[in-house]
Structures are given as C-alpha cells and as structure tokens.
C-alpha cells in the first residue's frame, strides 16, 4: 500500500488527486488486493452496526440496500438510516456532534479532512492495511486526513460533464463544441430553435458549484481552483472576476427557472428534449433507469476549453464511507466499511446503480456502458482531478457564503467579490 506521510491540505489540493491514478479504468484490474468473500466478516467482528445514508434517491438507495444485504449474509446486522441527501449534507456538523450512526456515507476532499481534524471521525488505517492495495495512490491521497491517517473507504466516483441527447443533436445538426466560442455559438443556435440551450438548476445551492469550478479551471487553471479553495488567493481579484465575466456570457442561455428547480427537474427536461445540454455528474443517468430509450441516447462532452487551459482538468468527486468516533469502537462498523472497499462490495452496489464508476481495482466493470467507459477514460487522461467546491473548500465557505452568492448571481448576474473575500478571510483565519 502506498503511504503519504506528512500530508497537508495544501499538498493534497496541489496533487490534483492525480489524474489517471484515480480512475476506474479496466486496466487497473491488473492490481491485486486483499478481498473478502460476500457476507464474510473478519474474525471477531460479530454483532450489529448502524449505517447513516444520504442515498435517498431510489437508485442509490436500492444499491446500498443491496450492499447491506450482501454483507449481512454473513450473520451480522446493519441497520440503515436514510436521510434526504441535502438534509444530510446541510446538517452533518450537528449530526456528528450528536449521536451519529456508526458508519455513514460521505465524500473525499477537505470536508472529510475538516471533520477528521474536529475529532468526530475514527481513522480506518487498519481497514486500509487489508484492502489498500485495491486502490490507486491518488485514491489513497484523497482518503487521507491532514494527520496522515486514512478516514475514507472509497466506493465510487463520477465525472461532471456536459450531457446531451444524441438524437437531438443529430436531428438539429448540432456539433459537439470543444472551445468556448463554439459552445457560445451552439447556445445561440439552440436558442434559435426555441430549446433551452443549457439546463441549469440551483434551488439546492450546490449544483452551481460545478459550473463555477469548471469556469475557474478552464479560465485560470486547476491550481487556481486549489488555491481559491484553500484561500491562498483572493476572491476579490481579476482572475475570479474573469470567471464571472465568462459566466455572464452564457447566463441568457441557462434555464430561467433554475432557482426553483432541483437537479432531478433538470434531468427530466433533458430527457424530454426541453433543454439541450446539462452540466452535471454522470449520476444523472439514474433518472433514466426505467427508460432505456432515453438512457441509451445520453452522451456527454468535456466542458469546453477557454483560452490556453484546454479540457484536461476534470471534476470527478469520490464518494465512500466514514466511521464516526463512536463507530470506530464497533468492529462490525469497521468490517462493513471494509466490505464496501472490496470488489465484492462494490459489485453489489453497481448491480443496482450503473451510473457511477467503482474504485476498487478488481471490481466488475463489464456493466459499463460506452458512455461510462468514456467517462472512465476521461478521468484516466485528466491532468488534474478536482472534487467539487463544497468538498475541496471549508464547509462554511461553501454552504454559507458561495452557495447563496451563486444563487443571487443566477438571479441577476451580480456578484460582490469584495464581500465574499471579506467573509472568506474571516472564516479561514478562524481555522
């Protein structure tokens, strides 16, 4: 297992989480790792554990139910407590400081590191000692706290890309853009056809982070994203102003009802060809699980290049399991987390949710559609991989400062960068 001593938040962000090393490409299957047969617990790990899950949508909920069922076949009991995704994420601090479940769903990135630093998580170094060879060095880095210990057991990841329906593009003669100028020109063409060019939803606050991150990385480079998330650079700067200048250029092409829509509403519009393009994670295909005609018609392209930065940086969040401080004392919770990090555990998940990419090297990838294979290749070929602003940045910065600021920007195209910088300076100085 590759270890990363003396990791700092700056070093982790600076790594870009290592492009090809993160990926879920079949070539990684050459790696070997310690595996656990389905339902088999570790010696001495008998009893029960509670599992807090944010997988409230039907497809991921069914997927985690399948994982629990497969694990429980060995005799242990795992009780799942499912909470609506946004509620779970918005109330995570209160949850962890109260009476949290033993093991729970969460993400890689600074939001994991932050709570580890608060002392409300248990490390999983012993779990990684058994299953760590399943994962790439970049996944290991993404799962590591500022103290050098492992906290996350990765389950899957997925890229944020611009989705579209192939039949709509063929019917209308639309060409996939690779540059910003081509993208803007295509938006104008689509709008002329009385179709919403860019599906965009921001009722929940977080979906806009994807647009912001890509515009920043394409305008200023991946390191600019890393520096801004760490507050090594100022929000009140020409570089950040340029991001919003670019965004204003495409605001007229975004869905005007964005502030009243969830990401699922946007998926419905894309599926019904009411909108033409949708920047979101590949999990969007969960919404078409019962409609093969639409599912088979979905494709994507990378966010277009702006200037000299190209298209090589990719936003590809990593999801997995963490142990609460209390859960760290429960052998069954540790054993369940380990199971999720094995090929068998991830196969149980992907049997129900085929919209994501498994992280374990030897997990089954035969189910990957051409689109997901393309997604895996995109991540593998990336020069840098970001997590998502609300995972790479201070939690309060994402939830309390940038999210409402982007909702206001969505409404009227105005952004007060000096005010955002003042709030950021105060928040990061308190760390």
């Amino acid at each position: 297992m590759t270890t990363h001593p003396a990791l700092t938040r700056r070093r982790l962000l600076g790594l870009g989480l290592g492009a090809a090393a993160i990926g879920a490409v079949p070539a990684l299957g050459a790696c070997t790792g310690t595996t656990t047969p389905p339902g088999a617990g570790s010696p001495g790990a008998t009893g029960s554990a509670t599992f807090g899950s944010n997988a409230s949508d039907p497809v991921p909920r069914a997927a985690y139910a399948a994982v629990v069922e497969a694990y429980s076949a060995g005799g242990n009991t795992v009780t799942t407590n499912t909470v609506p995704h946004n509620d779970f994420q918005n109330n995570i601090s209160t949850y962890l400081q109260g009476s949290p479940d033993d093991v729970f769903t969460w993400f890689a990135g600074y939001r994991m590191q932050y709570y580890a630093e608060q002392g409300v998580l248990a490390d999983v170094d012993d779990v990684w000692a058994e299953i760590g060879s399943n994962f790439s060095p970049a996944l290991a880095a993404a799962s590591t706290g500022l103290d050098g210990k492992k906290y996350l057991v990765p389950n899957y990841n997925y890229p944020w890309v611009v989705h579209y329906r192939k039949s709509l593009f063929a019917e209308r003669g639309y060409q996939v853009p690779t540059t910003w100028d081509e993208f803007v020109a295509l938006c104008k063409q689509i709008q002329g056809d009385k179709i919403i060019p860019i599906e965009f939803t921001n009722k929940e606050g977080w979906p806009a982070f994807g647009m912001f991150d890509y515009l920043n990385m394409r305008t200023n480079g991946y390191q600019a994203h890393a520096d801004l998330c760490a507050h090594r650079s100022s929000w009140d700067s020409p570089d950040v102003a340029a991001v919003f200048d670019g965004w204003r250029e495409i605001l007229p092409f975004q869905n005007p009802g964005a502030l009243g829509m969830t990401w699922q509403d946007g998926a419905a519009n894309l599926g019904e060809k009411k909108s033409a393009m949708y920047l979101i994670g590949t999990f969007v295909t969960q919404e078409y699980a019962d409609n093969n005609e639409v599912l088979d018609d979905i494709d994507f392209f990378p966010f277009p290049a702006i200037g000299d930065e190209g298209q090589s940086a990719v936003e590809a969040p990593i999801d997995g399991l963490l142990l609460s401080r209390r859960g760290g004392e429960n052998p069954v919770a540790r054993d369940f987390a380990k199971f999720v990090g094995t090929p068998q555990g991830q196969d149980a998940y992907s049997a129900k949710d085929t919209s994501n990419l498994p992280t374990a090297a030897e997990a089954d990838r035969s189910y990957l559609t051409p689109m997901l294979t393309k997604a895996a290749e995109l991540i593998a070929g990336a020069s840098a991989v970001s997590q998502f602003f609300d995972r790479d940045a201070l939690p309060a910065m994402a939830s309390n400062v940038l999210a409402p600021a982007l909702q206001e920007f969505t409404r009227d195209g105005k952004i007060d960068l000096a005010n955002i910088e003042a709030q950021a300076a105060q928040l990061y100085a308190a760390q």
Side-chain angles (χ1 to χ4, degrees):
M1 180 180 69
T2 302
T3 58
H4 299 267
L7 281 167
T8 65
R9 178 168 181 252
R10 293 189 179 198
R11 182 178 170 194
L12 282 168
L13 285 171
L15 285 173
L17 298 186
I22 282 188
V25 291
L28 289 176
C31 301
T32 59
T34 303
T35 60
T36 303
S42 298
T46 59
S48 63
T50 60
F51 171 40
S53 173
N54 64 4
S56 55
D57 291 323
V59 172
R61 185 169 187 159
Y64 269 120
V67 173
V68 169
E69 181 180 3
Y71 174 76
S72 299
N76 290 332
T77 300
V78 175
T79 301
T80 304
N81 299 314
T82 303
V83 175
H85 188 280
N86 286 341
D87 292 344
F88 193 98
Q89 183 160 328
N90 292 336
N91 296 307
I92 187 66
S93 293
T94 303
Y95 171 75
L96 290 175
Q97 292 167 6
S99 300
D101 295 289
D102 296 317
V103 59
F104 62 97
T105 53
W106 200 243
F107 326 113
Y110 183 56
R111 291 195 80 168
M112 172 203 72
Q113 298 166 347
Y114 175 83
Y115 293 115
E117 288 290 289
Q118 299 300 308
V120 294
L121 304 181
D123 72 78
V124 288
D125 280 351
D126 59 327
V127 173
W128 270 81
E130 297 190 57
I131 64 171
S133 56
N134 284 329
F135 303 116
S136 67
L139 281 166
S143 303
T144 303
L146 301 181
D147 58 3
K149 295 180 179 181
K150 300 291 188 294
Y151 288 92
L152 180 79
V153 175
N155 184 15
Y156 59 80
N157 71 337
Y158 51 88
W160 274 62
V161 286
V162 183
H163 295 82
Y164 66 96
R165 289 198 61 173
K166 292 179 286 188
S167 61
L168 177 64
F169 270 49
E171 292 161 4
R172 298 286 184 164
Y174 301 150
Q175 298 297 311
V176 169
T178 59
T179 68
W180 184 252
D181 288 345
E182 292 172 352
F183 183 59
V184 172
L186 177 58
C187 287
K188 293 177 180 178
Q189 181 182 359
I190 295 169
Q191 194 173 63
D193 290 336
K194 309 301 182 184
I195 299 170
I196 297 169
I198 302 172
E199 189 55 70
F200 187 75
T201 66
N202 203 23
K203 179 180 180 179
E204 301 150 311
W206 59 265
F209 293 148
M211 181 68 78
F212 174 77
D213 285 347
Y214 266 123
L215 284 167
N216 190 22
M217 289 193 292
R218 292 294 189 262
T219 303
N220 301 311
Y222 168 80
Q223 194 57 46
H225 164 83
D227 290 344
L228 202 59
C229 287
H231 200 232
R232 291 190 295 263
S233 59
S234 173
W235 285 84
D236 193 12
S237 69
D239 284 349
V240 179
V243 171
F244 287 99
D245 288 342
W247 200 339
R248 286 188 189 91
E249 191 173 1
I250 60 171
L251 272 180
F253 306 121
Q254 292 181 179
N255 192 322
L259 292 175
M261 298 171 61
T262 66
W263 72 264
Q264 293 95 334
D265 296 328
N269 281 348
L270 185 73
E272 295 167 9
K273 297 184 180 180
K274 294 179 180 178
S275 56
M277 300 177 287
Y278 193 10
L279 174 65
I280 197 167
T282 54
F283 59 79
V284 71
T285 57
Q286 296 169 7
E287 295 298 295
Y288 315 124
D290 297 327
N291 189 336
N292 287 333
E293 179 183 355
V294 174
L295 185 62
D296 294 342
D297 196 37
I298 298 293
D299 200 353
F300 73 82
F301 58 87
F303 196 86
I306 300 174
D308 298 327
E309 290 300 332
Q311 295 176 283
S312 60
V314 176
E315 188 117 282
I318 303 166
D319 288 15
L321 300 188
L322 300 180
L323 294 182
S324 66
R325 181 171 52 197
R326 182 189 73 176
E329 300 174 359
N330 184 342
V332 174
R334 289 186 174 277
D335 198 47
F336 178 62
K338 183 181 76 173
F339 180 69
V340 171
T342 65
Q344 289 82 2
Q346 295 190 8
D347 289 350
Y349 185 92
S350 60
K352 297 293 184 179
D353 182 0
T354 59
S355 68
N356 297 306
L357 302 167
T359 54
E362 293 185 334
D364 179 28
R365 289 173 172 79
S366 63
Y367 72 88
L368 293 184
T369 62
M371 191 191 88
L372 280 179
T373 299
K374 179 179 170 181
E377 292 169 350
L378 178 70
I379 297 172
S383 61
V385 177
S386 61
Q387 284 301 294
F388 204 64
F389 187 87
D390 70 354
R391 304 182 184 195
D392 278 341
L394 196 66
M397 181 66 203
S399 300
N400 301 340
V401 180
L402 190 59
L406 294 185
Q407 287 177 321
E408 183 63 28
F409 180 79
T410 300
R411 181 178 295 108
D412 58 20
K414 297 178 181 178
I415 194 82
D416 187 346
L417 295 179
N419 182 50
I420 293 175
E421 170 58 24
Q423 293 183 76
Q426 184 176 11
L427 287 171
Y428 283 85
Q431 299 308 303

